[in-house]
Amino acid sequence: ETGVTQSPTHLIKTRGQQVTLRCSSQSGHNTVSWYQQALGQGPQFIFQYYREEENGRGNFPPRFSGLQFPNYSSELNVNALELDDSALYLCASKTGGTGDEQFFGPGTRLTVL
Amino acid sequence: AQTVTQSQPEMSVQEAETVTLSCTYDTSESDYYLFWYKQPPSRQMILVIRQEAYKQQNATENRFSVNFQKAAKSFSLKISDSQLGDAAMYFCAYRRETSGSRLTFGEGTQLTVNP
């Protein structure tokens, strides 16, 4: 059984650019969540996808969007990058069960210059 | 909105000693889950222990145990026989019963273990 993987590990972008981050869920998991973790802070929930549909969103603007594919891998897209978007982006996957544990990936470190 | 507060930005402990990390939360819900996650320098968030709000018994996982005080909305983590590998950032997190996978995290406590 493989764990949650994310790519790339690190990324440097310029303000105004667009970025796509990728997450491969753990086998058998149909729910994925994305979090933004600014330096020295706790992760903040961005949104959640269940069976390819967004079904929960945190306090993030529409320029943060996502996709979940039939194989339950997912993408986080951020348009019009701002300096404050510099952070560690974490994805986590779980099964659809209410009490089931979610497993985190190692994250993608995004730096916006 | 639910909030999670960790009032100790940093803690240190001697190897083999015991340390307690504090966490308080605010919610109007009656059914929820509480978690402690560990984030080492490798950045991967690792679940340490979880507690279901409906359970009165405090959760225990080997050297890790919690003191869950539902009325006080307090959820502290006790690490016994601390090891060098326990050094990491520890996050307390809350999840509503009906919120799917959405976690609300505290700001974290950086734990240092001294040899």
Side-chain angles (χ1 to χ4, degrees), chain A residues 20-73:
Chain A
T20 297
L21 310 182
R22 294 178 173 82
C23 173
S24 179
S25 298
Q26 188 158 320
S27 177
H29 289 185
N30 56 18
T31 302
V32 66
S33 299
W34 286 89
Y35 294 82
Q36 179 195 67
Q37 186 178 15
L39 194 62
Q41 297 184 20
Q44 299 290 317
F45 175 77
I46 302 174
F47 46 54
Q48 169 184 296
Y49 277 79
Y50 172 67
R51 292 185 175 179
E52 302 176 54
E53 301 231 347
E54 183 182 306
N55 74 339
R57 189 176 186 93
N59 189 26
F60 281 82
R63 60 189 185 85
F64 285 78
S65 63
L67 281 173
Q68 187 182 30
F69 300 101
N71 66 353
Y72 301 132
S73 64

Side-chain angles (χ1 to χ4, degrees), chain B:
Chain B
Q2 293 80 24
T3 59
V4 177
T5 302
Q6 295 178 248
S7 59
Q8 306 154 315
E10 298 177 349
M11 291 283 285
S12 64
V13 62
Q14 291 296 126
E15 197 175 1
E17 297 294 308
T18 295
V19 64
T20 298
L21 308 183
S22 301
C23 172
T24 58
Y25 60 96
D26 186 27
T27 183
S28 58
E29 303 287 331
S30 58
D31 295 323
Y32 51 87
Y33 300 88
L34 295 165
F35 306 85
W36 279 98
Y37 281 90
K38 168 185 177 181
Q39 188 177 42
S42 66
R43 310 180 317 200
Q44 187 131 19
M45 200 74 76
I46 300 165
L47 178 65
V48 174
I49 197 165
R50 61 181 271 170
Q51 174 81 42
E52 291 87 345
Y54 67 86
K55 290 187 178 179
Q56 294 185 338
Q57 186 172 7
N58 289 323
T60 299
E61 287 287 343
N62 301 314
R63 298 182 295 108
F64 300 87
S65 61
V66 299
N67 184 4
F68 173 48
Q69 301 289 328
K70 191 172 184 179
K73 296 180 182 174
S74 170
F75 183 62
S76 61
L77 174 69
K78 185 172 81 171
I79 306 174
S80 303
D81 186 25
S82 296
Q83 300 176 0
L84 295 177
D86 294 334
M89 182 71 86
Y90 285 81
F91 291 98
C92 178
Y94 164 97
R95 191 180 87 207
R96 283 171 54 194
E97 172 77 19
T98 57
S99 69
S101 60
R102 177 176 186 160
L103 290 165
T104 300
F105 285 88
E107 292 298 304
T109 297
Q110 180 67 52
L111 178 66
T112 301
V113 180
N114 300 308

Side-chain angles (χ1 to χ4, degrees), chain A residues 8-12 37-39 87-89 107-111, chain B residues 43:
Chain A
T9 304
H10 297 92
L11 200 53
I12 299 175
Q37 186 178 15
L39 194 62
L88 179 68
Y89 289 85
T108 293
R109 172 74 66 190
L110 173 65
T111 302
Chain B
R43 310 180 317 200

